[in-house]
Amino acid sequence: MAADQPAWWTRAVVYQVYPRSFMDSDGDGIGDLGGVLLHLDHLSDLGVDVLWLSPVYPSPQADNGYDISDYQDIDPLFGSLQQLDELITALHARGMKLVMDLVVNHTSDQHPWFLESRSSTDSPKRDWYWWRPPREGMAPGDPGAEPTNWQSFFSGPTWELDEASGEYYLHLFDRRQPDLNWENPEVRQAVHEMMRWWLDRGVDGFRMDVINMISKDVGPDGHLHDGPPLPGAALGDGSASYLCGPRIHEFLQEMHREVFAGRSDALLTVGEMPGVTVEQARLFTDPSRGEVDMVFQFEHVGLDHGTSKWDIHPLRLRDLKASFGRWQAGLADVGWNSLYWDNHDQPRAVSRFGDDSPGFRRDSATCLATLLHLHRGTPYVYQGEELGMANYPFRGLEEFADVESLNHHVHAVSAGHDPAEVLDALRYMSRDNARTPVQWDASPHAGFTTGTPWLAVNPDHVEWNAAAQRDDENSVFAHHRRLIALRHTDDVVALGDFTMLLPDHDEVYAFTRSLGGVELLVVCNLSRTPYRLAELLPEAPAAELVLGNLPDDDPAELRPWEARVLRLP
Ligand code: NOJ
């Protein structure tokens, strides 16, 4: 590829498979690689370019595979290395690529590296993880003796006491996910070697889990700093010590040199980066710096959070515009955006940002998709999003499985919060909403398994399923197919400049994309209120319809949840 040619992924759309919930081929109730292989037609019919596979490595499954105990094998729960090879071959034969999940901020506490590290303070791998004595003047296990006051992402302190040595180890996530010490060059080399092994096997890149957390702000004497106290909590916010830490660019540049340099341009790297700012993202994705191709930023999925994700506030559309607009502008000349509503960590977008009541579900799902796919950046479709899958109607706590949700419930209730309110927040925001099995058809368990699904299937699958949508031109699936095709065929969609319109409008989201004399006007009504199009955007009525999400029968009115892509004369 010539240096002045836009990278291939500027025109690409990625589809995320969360294998546990995608398709079960062996009747154990848990999705697997055999299941992914069975449904590749679904992906090629949709037209996506890349499959990002959430972790399938051996794992005790404390965090559904984001706790890896062997980086170079496949968990028998999901299949075998041979099936992974088959998947690579099958995807490549269809012109698609495979991106693996790379979870190297932490391992499982069952990874041989950690078992060795934990075995003795003299272990040669002791320094592969973050071991620290109790706070000065305190004994191991004393309340508040943890080396720092940081609160874990999954509730409680980020430190777990190892009784045998009297030292604590760091875990930013669950206690079964100890953080690797990237300060140690042996750790970095081991990770690079493992990554090269996967690329040599034929995988086409990595989605890098919380990769902006690998560099911690550690003093020359090994000291880690307390963070400011969190409102209403005994613990503090340590994020300044581990989000985009002092050596993060150095580590990513080294990884790029050691793993990717000299390989094909056809690879893809995307760094998941909670808390990343536009300015930082510009550095991470500036191709001349050799770090990553794009990042997942979290600003837009935090707009409905208060003091935490469980403190839910309705989204204000003008905040979303300000945020997306800033990202579009900030990465316009240098760097690249990735675009997403949904993934395995977010509740379903149609229930969160759309309107999943029966009369508006299809229209709001297609409206949200249009809005997202017409931005500049690489869109990511999360399994089931292309079908308009919605949040699950959880009855009680016993229906949740996610470690983050369950830990939060324990901590919040023991801190005195009303259990009914805690449960309500889980119903709306829990990651389990995204993790219910994909709805393939109207049969029992939605065609996902012949056994008992590990997480309940949404009862709405009798109506909302792939079989019902595949041949229906009016379906959410068909609309996604058209959006994906548009990015492939229209340069302006892939590469055009972005200009936000109507920044203060509370219900209508509008923008233009322009490239080489071609100008698209995109207008999306994110409400049940009908609008006269000419009053909103006088130039709109004269424009030609490129793609819309509702039947094309009243050009003058922008109906509830209607989205139109128009070509300006
Ligand atoms: C981000 C992943 O997307 C999430 O599912 C996981 O729990 C954490 N990182 C920890 O690996």
Side-chain angles (χ1 to χ4, degrees):
M1 186 172 64
D4 56 351
Q5 286 293 307
W8 65 271
W9 33 255
T10 56
R11 290 166 201 285
V13 177
V14 182
Y15 185 93
Q16 182 191 353
V17 166
Y18 192 67
R20 188 173 249 283
S21 307
F22 187 71
M23 175 69 198
D24 173 22
S25 68
D26 62 6
D28 67 356
I30 298 176
D32 47 38
L33 288 175
V36 180
L37 284 161
L38 283 175
H39 278 302
L40 291 184
D41 281 350
H42 183 77
L43 271 61
S44 27
D45 291 353
L46 194 56
V48 296
D49 306 274
V50 181
L51 187 169
W52 149 29
L53 186 64
S54 278
V56 285
Y57 315 96
S59 160
Q61 304 288 322
D63 186 17
N64 289 357
Y66 283 90
D67 49 318
I68 297 172
S69 54
D70 180 352
Y71 285 114
Q72 290 174 236
D73 205 347
I74 302 297
D75 198 303
L77 195 64
F78 294 121
S80 63
L81 262 180
Q82 192 194 336
Q83 276 177 310
L84 199 277
D85 290 341
E86 253 177 74
L87 180 62
I88 296 174
T89 309
L91 286 169
H92 288 175
R94 289 162 189 262
M96 288 187 273
K97 296 175 190 288
L98 180 67
V99 161
M100 298 287 277
D101 223 299
L102 179 82
V103 188
V104 289
N105 173 68
H106 44 269
T107 65
S108 160
D109 64 349
Q110 298 308 308
H111 194 292
W113 296 346
F114 186 73
L115 295 178
E116 166 62 47
S117 179
R118 183 175 207 158
S119 66
S120 134
T121 49
D122 299 327
S123 158
K125 288 203 167 46
R126 186 68 171 179
D127 185 48
W128 281 41
Y129 293 83
W130 294 90
W131 290 100
R132 290 292 182 276
R135 204 175 272 273
E136 218 179 316
M138 299 185 98
D142 280 357
E146 289 84 10
T148 66
N149 67 347
W150 306 348
Q151 174 165 286
S152 141
F153 286 99
F154 290 168
S155 307
T158 56
W159 296 94
E160 180 75 6
L161 176 63
D162 173 52
E163 299 278 355
S165 64
E167 289 191 338
Y168 291 82
Y169 66 85
L170 176 69
H171 60 88
L172 295 184
F173 292 88
D174 190 65
R175 64 179 170 75
R176 290 159 292 179
Q177 295 169 295
D179 279 49
L180 279 166
N181 176 14
W182 277 68
E183 295 294 316
N184 185 326
E186 290 175 13
V187 168
R188 306 203 297 275
Q189 283 155 15
V191 169
H192 300 155
E193 198 182 316
M194 171 273 282
M195 293 173 76
R196 289 190 293 261
W197 184 85
W198 280 109
L199 293 179
D200 292 344
R201 215 171 177 100
V203 312
D204 303 291
F206 299 98
R207 172 269 185 189
M208 304 176 179
D209 192 71
V210 292
I211 202 69
N212 64 331
M213 300 189 191
I214 58 177
S215 164
K216 274 80 175 173
D217 184 8
V218 53
D221 57 352
H223 182 76
L224 296 162
H225 316 278
D226 279 340
L230 284 163
L235 294 166
D237 172 8
S239 58
S241 293
Y242 56 73
L243 291 185
C244 299
R247 299 182 71 187
I248 184 64
H249 293 290
E250 176 198 333
F251 289 164
L252 288 179
Q253 287 172 7
E254 180 188 46
M255 178 190 282
H256 193 274
R257 272 196 318 275
E258 295 295 322
V259 177
F260 299 102
R263 291 192 189 250
S264 137
D265 283 337
L267 303 178
L268 174 71
T269 55
V270 49
E272 189 208 25
M273 299 200 179
V276 71
T277 64
V278 189
E279 293 71 29
Q280 290 162 337
R282 209 175 142 95
L283 297 175
F284 285 120
T285 65
D286 175 348
S288 71
R289 294 170 55 91
E291 297 187 25
V292 291
D293 296 329
M294 59 191 89
V295 306
F296 288 134
Q297 57 95 3
F298 281 67
E299 217 173 82
H300 64 297
V301 289
L303 294 175
D304 56 355
H305 298 175
T307 50
S308 79
K309 70 183 275 183
W310 309 111
D311 172 21
I312 300 156
H313 296 260
L315 173 77
R316 295 189 329 165
L317 190 59
R318 61 180 69 189
D319 294 345
L320 181 71
K321 294 178 193 179
S323 172
F324 271 172
R326 204 169 45 252
W327 279 84
Q328 291 284 302
L331 301 180
D333 311 325
V334 173
W336 191 249
N337 277 292
S338 45
L339 309 168
Y340 72 93
W341 292 126
D342 270 333
N343 61 41
H344 64 292
D345 293 331
Q346 303 295 332
R348 290 285 180 182
V350 69
S351 303
R352 182 184 189 185
F353 303 124
D355 183 340
D356 65 5
S357 57
F360 295 102
R361 178 157 161 190
R362 181 233 161 254
D363 298 349
S364 69
T366 49
C367 182
L368 287 173
T370 311
L371 188 162
L372 192 80
H373 282 247
L374 265 293
H375 278 68
R376 190 170 194 270
T378 300
Y380 286 70
V381 178
Y382 175 65
Q383 63 185 35
E385 185 177 5
E386 78 285 12
L387 305 173
M389 278 180 63
N391 277 357
Y392 179 84
F394 292 98
R395 281 159 298 209
L397 190 63
E398 67 289 350
E399 287 192 298
F400 292 90
D402 170 35
V403 59
E404 179 192 45
S405 305
L406 297 175
N407 284 2
H408 169 65
H409 190 271
V410 169
H411 282 267
V413 170
S414 68
H417 293 269
D418 175 0
E421 281 176 23
V422 176
L423 192 59
D424 271 348
L426 289 188
R427 282 195 181 101
Y428 184 82
M429 203 51 105
S430 170
R431 310 194 294 182
D432 280 336
N433 282 299
R435 299 175 178 188
T436 62
V438 170
Q439 296 164 204
W440 294 107
D441 58 38
S443 69
H445 307 319
F448 164 72
T449 182
T450 53
T452 306
W454 72 276
L455 192 65
V457 170
N458 197 317
D460 69 10
H461 75 274
V462 289
E463 190 183 346
W464 293 88
N465 63 66
Q469 295 194 28
R470 290 281 295 274
D471 299 322
D472 173 2
E473 279 309 305
N474 197 33
S475 66
V476 181
F477 180 85
H479 191 71
H480 274 85
R481 195 171 49 211
R482 288 189 286 268
L483 289 170
I484 294 165
L486 194 64
R487 173 165 298 265
H488 290 154
T489 52
D490 276 33
D491 282 351
V492 64
V493 175
L495 299 167
D497 292 338
F498 178 98
T499 307
M500 187 69 79
L501 306 175
L502 310 175
D504 297 325
H505 202 288
D506 288 324
E507 298 191 320
V508 175
Y509 192 114
F511 54 95
T512 60
R513 302 289 313 280
S514 54
L515 184 78
V518 178
E519 190 167 15
L520 297 182
L521 171 63
V522 182
V523 49
C524 305
N525 183 358
L526 277 83
S527 79
R528 293 187 183 186
T529 321
Y531 285 94
R532 303 304 293 173
L533 199 52
E535 288 168 20
L536 287 172
L537 298 156
E539 64 276 41
E544 171 205 349
L545 184 67
V546 176
L547 192 128
N549 70 333
L550 299 187
D552 181 18
D553 49 32
D554 186 358
E557 187 174 279
L558 188 68
R559 289 158 285 176
W561 293 102
E562 179 166 12
R564 288 193 207 168
V565 182
L566 303 160
R567 195 179 305 272
L568 290 170

